[in-house]
Amino acid sequence: MKILVTPRSLTKAGLDGVPELAPLTEAGYELVPGPAGRLPAEEDLLDLVPGCGGWLAGVERITDRVLAAAPELQVISRNGAGTDAIDLDAARARGVRVERAAGANAQGVAELTLALTLCALRDVPWSAASVRSGGWSRAQGRELADVTVGVVGLGKIGRRVASAFRALGARVLGYDPFVSTSDAVSLDELFGRSDVVTLHCPPPSDGKPLVTADLLDLAPRGAVLVNTARSVLVDDDAVHAALEGERLSAYAVDAFDTEPPELTPLLRHERVLATPHIGGYTDASIRRATAAAVANLLAVLGGVV
């Protein structure tokens, strides 16, 4: 049986150099690499997936058309937590299992969230740009002990984020309709009381943005919004308007619909700090996620070769 491997972090230097994939080859599976170091397009996948019984997948879109080209496919194992890019209804209809490496990148994403927040609160990117251009623009920053951080989504990542901010002295509020904690509040209250709001949840099931103009209007003036989860969680126009009106002092984002993204007015805004989806792009996160994805493949395929 062949297994397609498409995450860019694994294909960039060749699959032979990834020890976490060894259990698959030891079990007799043939590994089929995706395009080296880049996100595969649909046409790439249509060429690669026929004949594959398993798929260790990254963030590429897996459409019904692609699944139709893979009649032998039994399981798609993501090397991350999200399944937004997969047509789950089509997979279910074709009897293809979809597995996730939940929590494998939690530490990396939590650390990036902390880093982006500190950069925004202390004006780090803009201050550094000032010096680099020969200026000396100093912004008076805010310390974490003086701010309230609202964490939207209290899963594996959100809980780590909350713990990290608490450890540095911030007051932390949480919102999650599926988790009960002593500091949980409504979404309206969280936005109304938080100097920093950070998103760690899946998109709403109705497909509408979670962060709207009405919610942003509740935020304290000069608040910071951080999104290391999903781009569709926010209404881009509403965030842009909030930045223009100085309701938000900064928007930090590490999640995009397409990679690289179109440079919209929001992404071009001087108070936007955008990073190229690096939350889980650390050595340790990649190792954990790959090991978990491999374990899921072996568990579903049952050692059949």
Side-chain angles (χ1 to χ4, degrees):
M1 183 184 290
K2 297 192 292 184
I3 292 178
L4 179 60
V5 181
T6 50
R8 293 164 292 180
S9 57
L10 305 182
T11 61
K12 65 176 182 177
L15 304 185
D16 291 342
V18 183
E20 289 77 19
L21 296 175
L24 294 176
T25 55
E26 290 167 0
Y29 296 102
E30 176 188 348
L31 302 186
V32 178
R38 69 171 175 86
L39 198 68
E42 186 176 58
E43 295 305 317
D44 295 318
L45 299 177
L46 290 171
D47 287 338
L48 292 167
V49 76
C52 292
W55 186 346
L56 201 166
V59 297
E60 63 277 357
R61 294 197 177 279
I62 301 176
T63 63
D64 181 45
R65 184 180 176 216
V66 170
L67 292 169
E72 298 175 42
L73 188 64
Q74 299 179 38
V75 55
I76 299 168
S77 183
R78 275 275 292 113
N79 72 332
T83 56
D84 307 35
I86 303 172
D87 187 331
L88 295 177
D89 290 336
R92 191 177 302 110
R94 297 178 186 281
V96 178
R97 288 270 297 273
V98 176
E99 301 291 333
R100 307 178 305 130
N105 64 356
Q107 184 67 23
V109 176
E111 289 183 6
L112 180 65
T113 300
L114 181 62
L116 291 174
T117 301
L118 290 171
C119 281
L121 289 175
R122 298 304 303 271
D123 243 45
V124 170
W126 305 286
S127 298
S130 167
V131 176
R132 192 164 54 247
S133 64
W136 194 254
S137 177
R138 302 174 71 215
Q140 185 168 307
R142 288 177 283 176
E143 297 180 6
L144 283 178
D146 291 333
V147 304
T148 297
V149 177
V151 180
V152 180
L154 298 171
K156 293 181 183 297
I157 296 173
R159 289 197 299 270
R160 284 181 186 249
V161 168
S163 295
F165 280 114
R166 282 198 191 96
L168 290 172
R171 297 177 296 278
V172 175
L173 301 175
Y175 167 79
D176 192 316
F178 305 106
V179 177
S180 177
T181 67
S182 59
D183 54 11
V185 297
S186 69
L187 196 57
D188 284 0
E189 184 178 355
L190 184 144
F191 269 81
R193 293 173 54 191
S194 298
D195 306 291
V196 175
V197 174
T198 177
L199 308 176
H200 304 284
C201 59
S205 57
D206 61 7
K208 296 179 180 178
L210 180 74
V211 180
T212 61
D214 289 342
L215 268 182
L216 291 169
D217 284 344
L218 300 174
R221 198 159 191 80
V224 171
L225 178 63
V226 181
N227 182 8
T228 57
R230 300 286 186 275
S231 62
V232 295
L233 285 169
V234 307
D235 180 329
D236 282 8
D237 292 338
V239 173
H240 186 266
L243 289 167
E244 288 286 280
E246 299 183 355
R247 171 66 62 184
L248 290 178
S249 63
Y251 174 50
V253 58
D254 188 54
F256 308 95
D257 283 338
T258 58
E259 298 182 0
E262 177 188 353
L263 289 180
T264 61
L266 175 59
L267 292 181
R268 290 183 184 276
H269 196 281
E270 63 179 359
R271 298 298 300 183
V272 169
L273 176 55
T275 51
H277 196 181
I278 58 174
Y281 195 48
T282 69
D283 290 344
S285 287
I286 291 169
R287 288 196 303 271
R288 287 191 298 265
T290 304
V294 166
N296 288 338
L297 282 170
L298 291 172
V300 173
L301 295 173
V304 177
V305 295

